C-alpha cells in the first residue's frame, strides 16, 4: 500500500493492512471488508480478478457488479497485481478517497461536466 505517514510517502507491508492500526494519514490501510468469518480483504483487493476468499466472495461482492469501463482503468494503491491497470468499482468515483495511484478516481475534471 502506498500512502503518507506523518506527511511522508511510504509503502506499508501487506501484513499491517486491515489490522485496525490506522498507520496512513488518510486511513486507507483500514478500508477493509469482512466477507466471511475467515476472509477480510482490503477494498483494493476486491474485484481485481485474483481470488482471495472462499467461493470467490471478493470477486462476486455487490460492489463488483458496477465497474468502470475498460477505457477507465487505474493502478490501485494496494493490490497484489502491482502495475496492472484494471477497472475499478464505480462507487469509488468521487467518494473522497484516492484509490488509484494517479488519483483518476477523484479527478473532478474527468467525472464532472
Amino acid at each position: 500500500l502506498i500512502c503518507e505517514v506523518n506527511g511522508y510517502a511510504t509503502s506499508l507491508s501487506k501484513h499491517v493492512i486491515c489490522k485496525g492500526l490506522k498507520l496512513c494519514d488518510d486511513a486507507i490501510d483500514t478500508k477493509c471488508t469482512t466477507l466471511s468469518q475467515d476472509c477480510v480483504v482490503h477494498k483494493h483487493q476486491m474485484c481485481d480478478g485474483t481470488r482471495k476468499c472462499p467461493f470467490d466472495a471478493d470477486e462476486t461482492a455487490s460492489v463488483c457488479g458496477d465497474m468502470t469501463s475498460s477505457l477507465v482503468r487505474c493502478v490501485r494503491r494496494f493490490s497484489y497485481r502491482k502495475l496492472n491497470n484494471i477497472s475499478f468499482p464505480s462507487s469509488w468515483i468521487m467518494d473522497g478517497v484516492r484509490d488509484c495511484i494517479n488519483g483518476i478516481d477523484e479527478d473532478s475534471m474527468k467525472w464532472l461536466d
Side-chain angles (χ1 to χ4, degrees):
L1 176 70
I2 299 169
C3 70
E4 289 191 1
V5 176
N6 295 323
Y8 294 96
T10 190
S11 295
L12 295 182
S13 165
K14 65 181 179 182
H15 300 291
V16 299
I17 308 300
C18 298
K19 303 296 185 201
L21 301 174
K22 193 179 176 198
L23 299 171
C24 298
D25 294 348
D26 64 357
I28 191 70
D29 54 313
T30 64
K31 305 294 183 189
C32 304
T33 301
T34 301
L35 296 170
S36 67
Q37 182 178 352
D38 57 349
C39 188
V40 177
V41 295
H42 190 271
K43 69 182 277 188
H44 295 167
Q45 294 177 304
M46 295 183 65
C47 321
D48 66 354
T50 302
R51 178 182 168 193
K52 287 161 284 309
C53 295
F55 309 108
D56 292 332
D58 56 306
E59 299 303 314
T60 59
S62 61
V63 71
C64 302
D66 185 20
M67 302 289 286
T68 58
S69 75
S70 61
L71 300 175
V72 182
R73 296 171 172 248
C74 78
V75 177
R76 299 172 185 189
R77 289 174 58 195
F78 177 59
S79 177
Y80 289 127
R81 301 177 75 188
K82 301 235 185 262
L83 304 179
N84 282 351
N85 277 317
I86 58 177
S87 298
F88 54 93
S90 297
S91 61
W92 295 2
I93 297 171
M94 301 298 297
D95 67 351
V97 177
R98 187 174 57 88
D99 297 296
C100 301
I101 289 176
N102 66 2
I104 193 171
D105 59 306
E106 298 301 314
D107 182 356
S108 61
M109 299 298 288
K110 173 78 176 164
W111 305 108
L112 302 176
D113 288 336

